Amino acid sequence: MMKRKIYQFSAGPAVLNEIVLSDSAKAAIDFQSSGLSLMEMSHRSKPVESLFQETTDLVKNLLNVPSGYHVLWLQGGASLQFAMIPMNLLSDDDIADYADTGLWSYKAIKESKKFGHVNISSSSRLSNYNYIPKTMEQNAQSKYLHITSNNTIYGTQYKEMPEVLNPNGYLIGDMSSDIFSRPLDLSQFGLIYAGAQKNMGPAGITMVIVREDILGKIDRDIPSYLDYKVHIEKQSLFNTPPVFSLFVVNRTLNFLRAMGGVKEMEKINIRKAGFLYAEIERNSLFTSPITKEDQSLMNVPFVFKQGRDENHFLSFCEKRGLMTLKGHRSVGGFRASIYNAMPVEGVMALVKTMQDYEDIKG
Ligand SMILES: *Cc1c(COP(=O)(O)O)cnc(C)c1O
């Protein structure tokens, strides 16, 4: 098997496990010794139907999905979910709470305003989203409370999920960048969603888990593809699905299960992030812009304490095979995304590089 010489710290599309990559390369040429590429195979064929079933079962197993919930595989990314959620769940007169904790939350808010009323229950916008607000002003009539569990750009993460004020309401979570990174109590949620390309696979496929009883409550005429009930009925095979992307998700989840599942993965993630945050704190050159208690285990932004040449540090890293560490333009500095597939050796290589840089520049 290939051994890669680089570590990919991109926020997304993000690092994939090496075994997953070589399994996928094989399936791209000859799927299960059928002589066909998986990309040439009908989504109505038995092997592809089983692939969908097996992947769905893996999700149910890994996340302990309670009965009454459906796992769906859709296209359009998390961005389409920003619109599909209010389209399916809010009528024109309804209201929903949204916590504004970053650019992605903000985009979700923008879409939901097209279908109903939005109450922004909390916001950390004025401090450039560097913390998770702990208090909220929810509307007692709200259908749901939408949160972004991990803020990919700013590097903040909910450590505990907020309570919903309306006893008939439910949580909705954009979990694009921390799905499968830790255990999850789905019973608080009416719906969660995640684009695959951060923590579970390549772009082109989006996972939605939805509780059936929240659907069918409004009488808007919804286009078929955008109607969750259609995908439930068709078991995510309403039209031609992204089979190859799903295969990569399948291999990733199989690998996660072999590692011991999300509980074990959380331990590893805490350890990995711990090494990096400790170095950011220790190193005289760098600092974290994020309130400590809200620091993400997945996306770790850090900046120079004093104005220095950021490009110089980035090329210092690249020479050592540490790629895509440039921070998002709205935060600046650097960002290391250390998703499930980032090995601890990658994090240690970054820590060592920060130490060496301090020796030269400090
Ligand atoms: C990347 C990301 C998105 C956007 O995902 P697309 O699949 O590109 O639409 C939305 N929310 C979060 C939290 C993200 O990290």
Side-chain angles (χ1 to χ4, degrees):
M1 205 186 71
M2 62 167 184
K3 184 80 197 134
R4 291 209 285 184
K5 293 184 189 67
I6 60 114
Y7 291 109
Q8 162 66 311
F9 288 94
S10 168
V15 55
L16 289 163
N17 178 283
E18 286 186 15
I19 296 168
V20 168
L21 286 176
S22 62
D23 285 355
S24 304
K26 238 180 272 163
I29 295 169
D30 183 6
F31 182 61
Q32 292 177 350
S33 307
S34 63
L36 287 175
S37 163
L38 180 58
M39 288 175 278
E40 300 170 320
M41 291 183 70
S42 166
H43 52 293
R44 308 287 174 207
S45 66
K46 191 83 202 101
V48 173
E49 272 182 18
S50 322
L51 183 66
F52 269 79
Q53 192 54 53
E54 187 196 308
T55 314
T56 297
D57 290 345
L58 270 168
V59 172
K60 288 184 176 169
N61 183 282
L62 285 164
L63 293 182
N64 265 321
V65 177
S67 63
Y69 287 76
H70 295 275
V71 178
L72 301 177
W73 303 102
L74 307 178
Q75 300 190 58
S79 296
L80 183 58
Q81 293 309 306
F82 295 163
M84 227 169 126
I85 287 163
M87 199 180 211
N88 280 265
L89 301 173
L90 286 186
S91 60
D92 294 349
D93 308 327
D94 284 335
I95 185 159
D97 283 314
Y98 276 73
D100 174 29
T101 56
L103 190 66
W104 295 120
S105 310
Y106 194 74
K107 290 190 176 182
I109 291 166
K110 200 174 144 211
E111 294 302 301
S112 62
K113 283 181 176 166
K114 298 173 183 171
F115 300 98
H117 298 283
V118 172
N119 173 46
I120 298 182
S121 53
S122 59
S123 176
S124 45
R125 186 170 205 182
L126 291 177
S127 59
N128 202 29
Y129 296 120
N130 71 352
Y131 71 104
I132 299 279
K134 304 301 177 306
T135 55
M136 285 204 197
E137 290 183 29
Q138 297 179 43
N139 187 303
Q141 308 301 319
S142 274
K143 281 291 187 64
Y144 60 78
L145 164 61
H146 178 283
I147 62 165
T148 313
S149 59
N150 183 72
N151 295 281
T152 325
I153 293 173
Y154 301 90
T156 61
Q157 185 176 30
Y158 282 87
K159 305 294 159 159
E160 272 171 48
M161 301 303 168
E163 302 241 334
V164 177
L165 180 64
N166 179 355
N168 298 315
Y170 47 86
L171 270 177
I172 289 186
D174 176 356
M175 303 195 172
S176 294
S177 51
D178 68 350
I179 189 76
F180 297 118
S181 69
R182 55 178 174 173
L184 170 65
D185 177 10
L186 263 171
S187 65
Q188 315 162 73
F189 288 89
L191 186 152
I192 66 163
Y193 61 103
Q197 71 274 17
K198 312 295 170 47
N199 212 19
M200 60 174 168
I205 194 158
T206 308
M207 185 181 78
V208 173
I209 303 180
V210 57
R211 209 175 74 205
E212 184 157 15
D213 69 0
I214 67 173
L215 300 174
K217 300 246 157 107
I218 60 162
D219 51 17
R220 179 177 289 120
D221 196 12
I222 300 169
S224 306
Y225 191 90
L226 302 181
D227 187 342
Y228 293 118
K229 286 195 309 216
V230 168
H231 295 286
I232 290 174
E233 194 190 317
K234 301 286 182 188
Q235 302 192 342
S236 302
L237 296 168
F238 166 69
N239 68 333
T240 318
V243 173
F244 192 74
S245 292
L246 183 89
F247 177 81
V248 185
V249 172
N250 177 287
R251 298 322 300 164
T252 302
L253 297 185
N254 266 303
F255 188 80
L256 176 56
R257 190 176 57 178
M259 298 263 311
V262 288
K263 249 201 187 118
E264 282 309 306
M265 190 47 78
E266 182 185 42
K267 283 185 204 154
I268 298 170
N269 286 332
I270 288 172
R271 223 175 117 236
K272 276 185 334 197
F275 287 134
L276 188 49
Y277 283 116
E279 176 59 21
I280 292 167
E281 211 166 300
R282 187 211 60 78
N283 195 304
S284 61
L285 301 179
F286 301 103
T287 185
S288 165
I290 302 305
T291 302
K292 194 164 180 169
E293 61 184 6
D294 300 326
Q295 284 170 337
S296 167
L297 298 182
M298 297 279 99
N299 309 96
V300 182
F302 54 102
V303 295
F304 277 135
K305 271 184 196 156
Q306 265 122 34
R308 288 173 185 271
D309 183 355
E310 292 179 352
N311 287 327
H312 188 265
F313 177 65
L314 287 171
S315 57
F316 189 77
C317 290
E318 271 172 34
K319 276 183 205 127
R320 294 163 170 232
L322 310 181
M323 315 307 280
T324 334
L325 281 159
K326 190 175 168 59
H328 189 275
R329 61 191 175 280
S330 54
V331 180
F334 316 102
R335 172 176 51 169
S337 296
I338 51 173
Y339 297 117
N340 288 357
M342 172 60 66
V344 66
E345 295 78 30
V347 173
M348 297 321 287
L350 175 57
V351 165
K352 177 76 168 58
T353 301
M354 292 163 76
Q355 289 166 351
D356 291 349
Y357 202 69
E358 185 186 32
D359 288 342
I360 302 170
K361 293 282 178 178

